Amino acid sequence: TIRVSTTTSLYATGLLERLAEEFRKQHPNIVIQFIAVGSGAALELASKGDVDMVFVHAPSLEQKFINEEVLVEGHIIAYNYFVIVGPKDDPAKIRDLSNPIEAFKRIYQAGEEGRAFFISRGDNSGTHIRELAIWRKTGLNPKGLEWYIESGTGMSKTLLIANEKEAYTLSDIGTFLKLKNEDRLGELELLISGSKELMNIYSAYIVNPRKYNTNYDLAKLFLEFVISDKGQEVIGKYGKEEFGQSLFYPAKGKEDELKVYWKKLTEY
């Protein structure tokens, strides 16, 4: 058995189960147990030695746990983009802006004028950490304001709350497309996507076997599959049939470029 803590987006979209399914074709006797939580919680489980490996997308947090020698043998496995979604009538007038920082400034102004709400995950997940980084760049702090609501929950629930309240939120593209495809998001629309400022990098790590009693050999086997040609092919194709587009881009061939941006994100 391999115990894997993971960010909710990789699990909720079904990508990890698809990877596990392909992996089991080669290793039918290995069971993979996924524990889907925000990146912060996934890394905390690693620091307690409760899991064998982690899949996360929070570079600044990852660096902390690498420094503490909790995580070893890390690899960037995939990337996509965060998106800003909101109500169809878009009261903050952010649709198609190229700069998410300007978009957040407009949402703040609309919130203060009683025209908009923003739903934050508020859960120390990779998405929440990126959202806070964007707010810092605006020089504005919405915490505690009436229109800024912290859900304290995962991406799917946060999107459902945003839909219910006709609010804005920051989401990973995969979870948004999955729920939209299931017709669960009403008139909540994708307003900003594809900005490099919103690049979302996913990495996988093995929990340090020198510090914890973990199943290193099996974790290593699964990690090697994920970064193999076959694993990267699964990642690149995932979503095309169901959603008409890939939900994730494989890291293969772009590792150096992604590593540079990952390093930049550790400073957020």
Side-chain angles (χ1 to χ4, degrees):
T1 299
I2 312 170
R3 300 161 299 163
V4 182
S5 59
T6 173
T7 170
T8 54
S9 53
L10 290 174
Y11 186 75
T13 55
L15 173 63
L16 284 184
E17 276 300 340
R18 179 66 60 81
L19 284 166
E21 186 182 303
E22 289 297 323
F23 177 74
R24 281 193 293 267
K25 289 178 181 177
Q26 300 175 16
H27 306 281
N29 297 325
I30 298 177
V31 175
I32 304 178
Q33 295 177 345
F34 293 113
I35 304 164
V37 287
S39 289
L43 290 164
E44 287 297 334
L45 287 170
S47 73
K48 295 172 184 173
D50 290 340
V51 292
D52 304 304
M53 63 187 305
V54 294
F55 287 79
V56 283
H57 64 144
S60 57
L61 281 183
E62 293 161 37
Q63 187 65 65
K64 173 179 179 287
F65 286 86
I66 291 168
N67 293 346
E68 293 172 0
E69 299 184 343
V70 172
L71 306 176
V72 295
E73 299 185 39
H75 288 271
I76 294 172
I77 60 159
Y79 71 99
N80 59 14
Y81 293 88
F82 290 109
V83 293
I84 302 174
V85 303
K88 186 177 183 179
D89 63 352
D90 185 22
K93 300 292 181 278
I94 68 166
R95 190 187 301 274
D96 296 330
L97 284 177
S98 59
N99 187 342
I101 297 164
E102 175 61 26
F104 270 40
K105 286 179 179 177
R106 292 191 190 185
I107 292 168
Y108 187 99
Q109 183 177 351
E112 289 295 88
E113 293 171 356
R115 297 184 288 112
F117 288 98
F118 186 95
I119 313 299
S120 169
R121 281 187 53 172
D123 64 348
N124 201 34
S125 60
T127 307
H128 181 220
I129 286 166
R130 182 63 69 87
E131 177 223 317
L132 295 180
I134 296 170
W135 283 120
R136 279 196 298 276
K137 288 189 172 186
T138 67
L140 302 167
N141 181 9
K143 192 170 176 66
L145 299 177
E146 192 175 333
W147 53 270
Y148 182 80
I149 300 164
E150 293 183 293
S151 71
T153 188
M155 197 69 253
S156 295
K157 181 67 174 171
T158 298
L159 282 164
L160 293 171
I161 295 168
N163 177 54
E164 183 185 314
K165 294 195 70 72
E166 298 182 359
Y168 295 95
T169 194
L170 183 73
S171 174
D172 68 277
I173 181 69
T175 308
F176 174 77
L177 287 177
K178 184 174 188 295
L179 293 185
K180 193 71 174 171
N181 191 58
E182 293 168 357
D183 203 23
R184 296 172 66 191
L185 293 181
E187 295 195 336
L188 200 68
E189 293 189 350
L190 192 159
L191 300 174
I192 296 179
S193 65
S195 163
K196 186 167 183 184
E197 279 280 346
L198 296 177
M199 186 181 276
N200 180 22
I201 297 176
Y202 291 93
S203 298
Y205 300 88
I206 296 175
V207 177
N208 191 345
R210 292 184 297 279
K211 287 189 74 167
Y212 306 98
N213 182 23
T214 59
N215 202 334
Y216 171 82
D217 290 339
L218 294 189
K220 176 82 168 172
L221 207 58
F222 186 47
L223 178 57
E224 285 178 346
F225 170 76
V226 171
I227 62 175
S228 72
D229 289 350
K230 179 61 180 174
Q232 291 288 291
E233 181 187 352
V234 170
I235 289 169
K237 287 182 175 179
Y238 188 72
K240 280 188 178 175
E241 285 182 22
E242 191 174 355
F243 307 108
Q245 68 179 85
S246 297
L247 299 190
F248 304 90
Y249 302 106
K252 190 171 181 62
K254 292 197 169 185
E255 293 92 341
D256 291 344
E257 177 188 339
L258 291 170
K259 189 69 177 174
V260 169
Y261 195 65
W262 182 93
K263 191 67 180 169
K264 181 181 173 187
L265 291 172
T266 64
E267 298 159 8
Y268 278 29

